[in-house]
C-alpha cells in the first residue's frame, strides 16, 4: 500500500508530466530532467539538489471502483503527475508515506539522494536547500489512515 496524498491548497498550478523507470508511489519526491522527451514528458530520477523537484501525486486515468486511493502506484514507464510546490502550499500525507514520526514542531524535508520526505526536528537540522514543510495539523485522517497536514515554508 502506498501513501495517500491530498493536495489541500496548491497555489500555482505548476504541473509537470514525467516518466519514471520503476514503479512509484504517491507522495514520492522526484527530480526531473531539464530536457523533454518526444512525447512532452520529462524523465524522473532520484532527487538531486539544483534540479527541478516535484511531488508525485498521480490519479488513475480510468475509473475502477475497486481501486482505493492507497493502492495507486505509477507503473514504470507510464506518465505521472508532478507538482512543483511553492511557499504557502498545503498538503496532507499519510504518516506511512514519510520517514520518521511527525511532531508538532517538526519539519518535513526531502532526504538527499532519496525520493522520500523525512521528518527533522526543526528547520536548523533539515537540509539547507530543497522543500521544507512545517506541521499544521497532526490529527488528520485519510481513508482511515493517520495523516499530517503540512505547509511549505521553503521551496
Amino acid at each position: 500500500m502506498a501513501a495517500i496524498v491530498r493536495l489541500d491548497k496548491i497555489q500555482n498550478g505548476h504541473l509537470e508530466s514525467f516518466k519514471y523507470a520503476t514503479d512509484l508511489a504517491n507522495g514520492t519526491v522526484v527530480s526531473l530532467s531539464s530536457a523533454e522527451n518526444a512525447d512532452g514528458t520529462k524523465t524522473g530520477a532520484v532527487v538531486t539538489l539544483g534540479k527541478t523537484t516535484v511531488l508525485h501525486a498521480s490519479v488513475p486515468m480510468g475509473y475502477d471502483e475497486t481501486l482505493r486511493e492507497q493502492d495507486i502506484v505509477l507503473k514504470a514507464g507510464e506518465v505521472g503527475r508532478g507538482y512543483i510546490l511553492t511557499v504557502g502550499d498545503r498538503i496532507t500525507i499519510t504518516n506511512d508515506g514519510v520517514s520518521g514520526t511527525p511532531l508538532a514542531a517538526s519539519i518535513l524535508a526531502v532526504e538527499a539522494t532519496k525520493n522520500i520526505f523525512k521528518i527533522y526536528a526543526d528547520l536548523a537540522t533539515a537540509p539547507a536547500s530543497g522543500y521544507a514543510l512545517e506541521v499544521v495539523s497532526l490529527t488528520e485522517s485519510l481513508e482511515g489512515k493517520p495523516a499530517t497536514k503540512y505547509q511549505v515554508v521553503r521551496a
Side-chain angles (χ1 to χ4, degrees):
M1 289 192 293
I4 300 172
V5 177
R6 181 177 66 204
L7 305 171
D8 299 310
K9 178 184 165 192
I10 303 295
Q11 301 174 49
N12 64 16
H14 285 123
L15 185 64
E16 291 281 356
S17 295
F18 70 94
K19 292 182 179 179
Y20 203 76
T22 60
D23 290 358
L24 201 60
N26 275 344
T28 307
V29 185
V30 176
S31 287
L32 300 180
S33 61
S34 54
E36 288 190 358
N37 298 321
D39 62 0
T41 63
K42 293 188 177 183
T43 301
V46 173
V47 172
T48 305
L49 296 178
K51 290 195 171 226
T52 300
T53 303
V54 297
L55 169 67
H56 170 237
S58 291
V59 295
M61 297 310 285
Y63 178 73
D64 180 352
E65 63 187 29
T66 64
L67 187 65
R68 298 176 304 168
E69 201 170 350
Q70 63 195 18
D71 298 327
I72 297 172
V73 173
L74 179 66
K75 297 295 181 192
E78 291 185 2
V79 178
R81 284 186 186 172
Y83 292 85
I84 300 172
L85 301 176
T86 60
V87 173
D89 286 351
R90 287 186 177 201
I91 61 172
T92 301
I93 303 176
T94 51
N95 294 344
D96 61 352
V98 300
S99 174
T101 303
L103 302 171
S106 56
I107 292 290
L108 186 68
V110 177
E111 188 169 5
T113 70
K114 296 191 179 178
N115 291 55
I116 60 171
F117 277 120
K118 180 179 176 181
I119 299 293
Y120 293 87
D122 53 35
L123 198 53
T125 59
S129 62
Y131 293 136
L133 299 86
E134 66 183 2
V135 171
V136 173
S137 170
L138 292 166
T139 58
E140 303 294 315
S141 176
L142 297 174
E143 288 193 17
K145 296 170 67 173
T148 303
K149 181 180 288 189
Y150 302 93
Q151 179 167 316
V152 178
V153 294
R154 185 182 67 215

